[in-house]
Amino acid sequence: MALVKWDPWHEIEDMFDRYTRAMGMRRTGGGSEIAAVADWSPQVDITEGPDEFTIKAEIPEVNKDDVKITIDNGVVTIQGERKQEKEEKDKKFHRIERFYGSFSRSFSLPDNVNASAAKATFKDGVLTLQIPKTAETKPKGIEVKVE
């Protein structure tokens, strides 16, 4: 029987591989890097000002014609697709870390927004969606006479 040197890092790496497979992730390129198998989600910032809500989404290298924004029943949805560069014969890819494919992000809106007046702009890979607020209705006080 041959003696084999024990390598604790190999066991940890094996355990990590099983964990990432169970979580729906995969290792890339045989190295120790992790990439999610699921579709990607652009990063967003949501801010509220006195007159409007603003959603900024980072979607570099996405054509504005490939982005669709809908507001339905108090939910705003941003959908689109980033297309992967076609592999050329004289190019050899050594690493691909960016995510490609379709994406979708949805956010609930408060009741005090005017969805029909929303407007979106797209500049330098950042989608900016501005949704104005409506005038807040203040509850009227009703005086009740006690008899």
Side-chain angles (χ1 to χ4, degrees):
M1 181 169 155
L3 290 177
V4 178
K5 185 177 178 184
W6 178 59
D7 182 8
W9 296 111
H10 179 70
E11 288 187 25
I12 291 172
E13 192 172 45
D14 184 50
M15 180 181 68
F16 192 65
D17 283 341
R18 288 191 313 252
Y19 172 75
T20 56
R21 276 194 306 272
M23 298 303 293
M25 303 164 105
R26 62 178 166 83
R27 296 191 55 174
T28 60
S32 59
E33 299 154 36
I34 302 299
V37 174
D39 290 342
W40 67 285
S41 293
Q43 301 295 311
V44 297
D45 291 335
I46 301 176
T47 58
E48 179 181 359
D51 299 325
E52 68 185 8
F53 289 93
T54 303
I55 300 174
K56 289 186 177 186
E58 291 181 352
I59 47 176
E61 295 187 8
V62 174
N63 189 338
K64 71 178 182 176
D65 296 330
D66 293 333
V67 177
K68 180 181 176 185
I69 302 166
T70 57
I71 300 175
D72 188 29
N73 291 328
V75 176
V76 61
T77 301
I78 302 169
Q79 297 174 312
E81 181 178 5
R82 179 163 49 202
K83 296 176 179 149
Q84 188 167 10
E85 183 178 327
K86 294 180 182 177
E87 190 169 342
E88 298 175 16
K89 291 182 180 180
D90 59 341
K91 277 188 181 178
K92 182 177 178 182
F93 289 92
H94 292 278
R95 181 177 297 225
I96 297 176
E97 293 183 343
R98 297 182 302 155
F99 292 99
Y100 296 93
S102 61
F103 64 87
S104 179
R105 297 290 308 262
S106 295
F107 306 98
S108 296
L109 296 172
D111 293 334
N112 65 332
V113 296
N114 183 0
S116 61
K119 63 180 179 177
T121 56
F122 192 80
K123 183 180 178 188
D124 298 330
V126 177
L127 172 73
T128 303
L129 176 62
Q130 297 169 303
I131 307 168
K133 292 181 179 180
T134 58
E136 290 188 41
T137 56
K138 296 181 181 179
K140 292 182 178 180
I142 299 174
E143 186 176 331
V144 178
K145 302 252 185 206
V146 179
E147 295 180 13

